[in-house]
Amino acid sequence: MTSFRTLTLTHFFLFIVLFSSVTHNVSSDSGSDRVSELLELQSRSKSGVIHLDDHSISRFLKSVKTPRPYSLLLFFDATQLHDKQELHLKDLQKEFGIVASSFITNNQDPSSPSHAKIFFCDIEFKESQNSFASFGVNALPHIRLIGPNHGLKDSDQMDQGDFSRLAESMAEFIESRTKLVVGPIHRPPMFSRNQIIFAVIAWLVWLPFIVKKVLSGKTLVHDPKLWLSGAVFVYFFSVSGAMHNIIRKMPMFLADRNDPNKLVFFYQGSGMQLGAEGFAVGFLYTIVGVLLALVTRGLVKVRNPTVQRLVMIIALFVSFWAVKKVVYLDNWKTGYGVHAFWPSSWQ
């Protein structure tokens, strides 16, 4: 009886050891299989970003026991919001792809310690509403890092303020949270190889004709009207906030929240300036500048005093009107008023 009990206990412990070993191997095989699948999906993507949905989120995150042998960086997207210029979703998605391709390029060597340790993925709202709810995402843009030991809710979210530096800030976020090395960001060239070749051939073809025109003094560069127009354009470009619109990608106008059929060209508040209001103020500034140039450079050459006085009065009236409109718009937008004071010596 004692030998039977001993034999039974021995079989029981052997069963426990074998079961634990098999479970560990299955878990390890599951993790390595998922890595192989992700590498395969990554190779099919042009930018290296893997498109996921509710099913694949469950497969690569929920069904794999922690710690996973990889991390996922998720970009949450919604195609119906791509027309919302203030969200910059399309630009951020492009920058996300640049980070993904740069990481893959910099860590494509299997001996690299960062190789296959993180995968870049995106999910779309209409296809993955359950995943959006599981992560608790209720606003875009949204990027979240799911580390090897993370669940869905306790994963790291990228701060909204870090999106300003685009790909570089995304790379810093990855390196600070995972200790992986992203490496330098590789942006695509502005012009393709074929475009550069075509431009060089066209330049060589036109070069003799250009040299002939320059030597004869019959080019647009020799036309004073071109320089005058260029100076006015540079002045307008400078004072209208056009560079601000280009850098910030500001829209020309917005749809009214209370009436979608109505457009808003002037935004009340100092935190934002639309393109249309910048161009309106720039146009008023340009009017004053052109009138000042006309009076100081052209009107002084007129010999008729009556014409001089009439033009001067009109220029002063129009300039006063333009400055008054700018001051009124600044007061309406920011709440700050501009007051005139008489010189103390006059009092």
Side-chain angles (χ1 to χ4, degrees):
M1 190 69 177
T2 303
S3 61
F4 176 75
R5 289 180 178 177
T6 303
L7 184 61
T8 303
L9 289 173
T10 303
H11 287 164
F12 177 74
F13 284 119
L14 284 174
F15 174 77
I16 293 297
V17 171
L18 289 174
F19 179 78
S20 301
S21 177
V22 170
T23 303
H24 175 73
N25 290 334
V26 169
S27 177
S28 300
D29 292 342
S30 176
S32 60
D33 290 343
R34 296 294 188 272
V35 172
S36 300
E37 289 184 49
L38 289 169
L39 287 173
E40 176 64 23
L41 293 172
Q42 178 180 276
S43 64
R44 297 177 187 174
S45 174
K46 184 178 180 180
S47 63
V49 178
I50 304 170
H51 183 69
L52 302 180
D53 53 20
D54 286 337
H55 174 72
S56 49
I57 286 289
S58 176
R59 177 171 180 78
F60 293 116
L61 290 178
K62 297 179 181 179
S63 63
V64 182
K65 293 183 178 181
T66 57
R68 307 179 197 90
Y70 53 82
S71 300
L72 293 184
L73 188 69
L74 274 180
F75 181 89
F76 293 83
D77 188 27
T79 54
Q80 68 269 26
L81 297 180
H82 281 186
D83 58 342
K84 301 286 186 181
Q85 295 294 332
E86 62 272 19
L87 296 179
H88 305 292
L89 282 179
K90 297 176 77 173
D91 297 330
L92 290 173
Q93 191 173 33
K94 180 181 178 182
E95 294 292 313
F96 188 79
I98 292 175
V99 178
S101 60
S102 300
F103 177 84
I104 296 170
T105 302
N106 298 329
N107 298 279
Q108 57 185 345
D109 187 358
S111 61
S112 172
S114 301
H115 176 72
K117 295 298 183 182
I118 185 171
F119 295 92
F120 298 79
C121 311
D122 64 356
I123 58 175
E124 206 279 324
F125 177 73
K126 290 183 178 179
E127 303 173 355
S128 312
Q129 295 188 26
N130 292 333
S131 296
F132 271 69
S134 299
F135 281 103
V137 177
N138 50 25
L140 296 179
H142 192 102
I143 294 178
R144 189 173 286 270
L145 175 68
I146 303 94
N149 297 301
H150 284 159
L152 301 186
K153 290 283 182 74
D154 60 345
S155 51
D156 290 328
Q157 176 186 350
M158 185 173 174
D159 294 335
Q160 294 284 338
D162 293 337
F163 289 118
S164 58
R165 294 181 54 239
L166 304 176
E168 285 74 14
S169 59
M170 296 180 191
E172 290 178 1
F173 172 73
I174 295 170
E175 293 179 346
S176 64
R177 295 297 193 280
T178 64
K179 307 305 179 184
L180 300 176
V181 178
V182 176
I185 300 297
H186 304 284
R187 295 186 178 275
M190 184 178 296
F191 302 103
S192 65
R193 180 173 175 270
N194 293 334
Q195 289 175 330
I196 295 175
I197 293 175
F198 176 78
V200 171
I201 293 175
W203 170 255
L204 293 176
V205 170
W206 280 98
L207 186 60
F209 300 96
I210 295 174
V211 172
K212 182 180 178 181
K213 289 287 185 179
V214 170
L215 294 177
S216 62
K218 297 180 179 179
T219 64
L220 291 175
V221 180
H222 295 84
D223 189 356
K225 296 178 181 178
L226 176 67
W227 293 99
L228 176 61
S229 302
V232 173
F233 173 76
V234 170
Y235 180 80
F236 174 79
F237 189 87
S238 302
V239 300
S240 65
M243 185 59 68
H244 169 271
N245 298 337
I246 294 173
I247 295 175
R248 298 293 182 180
K249 295 182 173 56
M250 299 302 298
M252 292 296 294
F253 51 82
L254 294 175
D256 194 340
R257 294 181 179 179
N258 300 324
D259 185 5
N261 296 322
K262 183 180 178 181
L263 299 179
V264 176
F265 294 93
F266 293 86
Y267 183 86
Q268 188 171 15
S270 59
M272 180 179 179
Q273 175 180 297
L274 298 176
E277 63 181 288
F279 287 153
V281 174
F283 176 72
L284 294 174
Y285 278 133
T286 304
I287 289 178
V288 177
V290 170
L291 288 176
L292 179 63
L294 176 65
V295 169
T296 57
R297 306 295 295 182
L299 189 59
V300 293
K301 298 179 181 180
V302 177
R303 297 184 179 273
N304 192 330
T306 305
V307 175
Q308 285 184 336
R309 294 188 184 98
L310 180 62
V311 174
M312 179 65 73
I313 292 172
I314 294 174
L316 288 173
F317 177 79
V318 174
S319 298
F320 178 80
W321 171 83
V323 173
K324 183 179 179 181
K325 289 295 182 182
V326 173
V327 172
Y328 170 78
L329 178 61
D330 181 70
N331 177 258
W332 172 81
K333 187 175 179 65
T334 64
Y336 293 103
V338 178
H339 304 281
F341 297 93
W342 294 108
S344 59
S345 61
W346 292 12
Q347 296 178 0

